[in-house]
Amino acid sequence: MNVLGIIASGVAALFITVALAKGARRAALRPHAPDEPGGRAPRAAALRRAGGATVVLGVGTAAGGALWLGAADDSAGSVAGLLAGAGIVAALGLVHDLKPFRAALRLPVQTAAAVLVVCLAGLSPAAGVLAVLWIVLVTNAFALLDHADGLLTTVGLVTAAGLLACAALGGDPALTLLPATLVAGLAGFLLHNWHPARLRLGASGAQFTGFALAASGALIQEAAPSGRAAWAALPVLATVALADTALVLISRRRAARSLLRDTDDHIAHRLRRVRVTVPGTAVLLGLWAAVPVTTAALVYAELLHPAFLLLPPAGSVAAVFVLLRIPAYATPRTAPSRTASRRTTAPTTGGAAIPSAAPAPGVAGPAPGKGAPSGTARTAAGHPTVPPPPTGRSAAGVAAERS
């Protein structure tokens, strides 16, 4: 595939995604969008959540058109399988966006899509099994990053750029088709997904992005020349997504929480707790992803020694241990005991008890066994004192009225 074909496909993906995303944004922001019957979420929220379908249509249309025009040459089967598998998981994600279901049901469909990619690419059985496991793992790892505005779009854009560089340096230029269109599509969608996000990738766009990145990396690694360190360089591209997944699993395991129930314990959530803004979080993770992507591309181009590939994973492991020290779960509130709630204590000021007022001369405290309302003055015999008559009426006048 020539350079002009790659550029044309990328430009087409950019314009199609921007046009579709703009239309979806207008439909989602209509103020008169009615709520669905039965207490369901409004249609506007569903449209925002399913905004990732615009990326799927933009990238799929551009890449499919280039494939139909014969741009992939001898690798048409591999690229077609890649697009078909990514389309399958995207359709599954769109169903989940419109009517959520259990996350465990996605694994069989993702595995079947990965097997389709491996079979059409003609990988050996051993390499095929490893590729299927890798594709399923990385697909779900990238999908977990879709929990903050612009986060997955930024990290996916940086990762796709690294795959594009590696594919351009590899032995099969046709494999640059999907990374090039994915870079353009994510760049166009980022205009609507940046904070405050008007559209979200949702399960459809997130799974499509993760599957396309994982499957493209597996095929680029298989087609790489034997002299290149592709077996070590390309897996490093998914460092940020795998670090976020490891952080979540370790954190939930320590807290004895369900591994499948999503909570606010990802990297972005912990950075927010230390006062990092939402756009700052996207930029910070984008720079984090750029370090392993740049290192892997330079090693793949044989400009750096493969030993440098140990630095990004080592730094990510250290970052995960630092992030584990940031509390992610709120401590449960303990209800006060009944005994403590029944106790009456004297009000304090600054930790010292406020002394009660001294009794008047000739007035003593309450006698044992004879209770009365608190705060009532008593005589020496223990009887409550009678309050003075109202102002303007003497005691003699009151007695005269009673007689």
Side-chain angles (χ1 to χ4, degrees):
M1 186 174 185
N2 54 21
V3 178
L4 293 179
I6 297 174
I7 296 175
S9 301
V11 171
L14 176 63
F15 278 99
I16 294 173
T17 303
V18 169
L20 293 176
K22 189 175 182 179
R25 176 185 174 183
R26 288 180 178 178
L29 296 181
R30 285 179 183 174
H32 54 79
D35 293 350
E36 295 182 2
R40 296 180 181 178
R43 296 178 182 177
L47 286 173
R48 295 191 189 99
R49 190 169 57 248
T54 60
V55 178
V56 177
L57 293 175
V59 174
T61 302
L67 186 65
W68 180 69
L69 293 174
D73 300 331
D74 297 335
S75 300
S78 300
V79 179
L82 188 55
L83 283 175
I88 290 173
V89 297
L92 176 70
L94 183 60
V95 173
H96 178 75
D97 287 330
L98 300 178
K99 187 177 182 180
F101 52 87
R102 292 184 179 180
L105 299 178
R106 305 177 193 174
L107 293 178
V109 179
Q110 293 172 354
T111 304
V115 170
L116 176 64
V117 173
V118 168
C119 292
L120 292 180
L123 272 65
S124 63
V129 172
L130 293 177
V132 168
L133 295 176
W134 172 257
I135 292 172
V136 174
L137 173 63
V138 175
T139 299
N140 290 280
F142 272 96
L144 288 177
L145 289 176
D146 188 32
H147 55 264
D149 294 349
L151 182 58
L152 175 58
T153 311
T154 304
V155 176
L157 178 61
V158 174
T159 308
L163 285 172
L164 177 59
C166 293
L169 296 170
D172 195 349
L175 295 178
T176 60
L177 177 60
L178 190 56
T181 53
L182 190 60
V183 167
L186 291 177
F189 187 76
L190 189 59
L191 301 174
H192 306 276
N193 188 235
W194 194 253
H195 182 76
R198 277 76 64 186
L199 294 176
R200 290 183 52 195
L201 279 173
S204 177
Q207 292 192 53
F208 176 82
T209 302
F211 190 92
L213 293 173
S216 296
L219 296 185
I220 292 171
Q221 179 175 355
E222 182 67 20
S226 57
R228 301 185 186 274
W231 62 273
L234 293 174
V236 178
L237 299 176
T239 298
V240 174
L242 295 177
D244 183 73
T245 303
L247 174 67
V248 168
L249 294 179
I250 295 173
S251 180
R252 294 176 186 176
R253 181 67 177 175
R254 286 183 174 181
R257 291 175 174 260
S258 174
L259 299 179
L260 298 179
R261 181 176 297 177
D262 197 13
T263 54
D264 297 342
D265 52 2
H266 295 266
I267 294 177
H269 298 138
R270 297 172 190 265
L271 292 178
R272 291 288 294 135
R273 288 184 174 88
V274 293
R275 305 303 179 91
V276 180
T277 62
V278 176
T281 301
V283 172
L284 188 60
L285 265 72
L287 294 176
W288 184 354
V291 174
V293 165
T294 305
T295 305
L298 292 176
V299 171
Y300 189 85
E302 299 180 345
L303 297 177
L304 284 180
H305 193 272
F308 283 92
L309 293 173
L310 298 176
L311 297 179
S316 299
V317 170
V320 167
F321 279 103
V322 172
L323 291 169
L324 283 173
R325 301 179 64 87
I326 301 176
Y329 310 110
T331 56
R333 296 182 178 180
T334 57
S337 60
R338 296 182 179 179
T339 307
S341 61
R342 290 177 182 175
R343 262 182 220 161
T344 57
T345 57
T348 59
T349 302
I354 301 177
S356 59
V363 179
K370 297 181 179 181
S374 60
T376 304
R378 296 179 177 276
T379 61
H383 301 289
T385 58
V386 179
T391 306
R393 301 179 63 195
S394 62
V398 174
E401 290 177 1
R402 290 180 179 177
S403 61

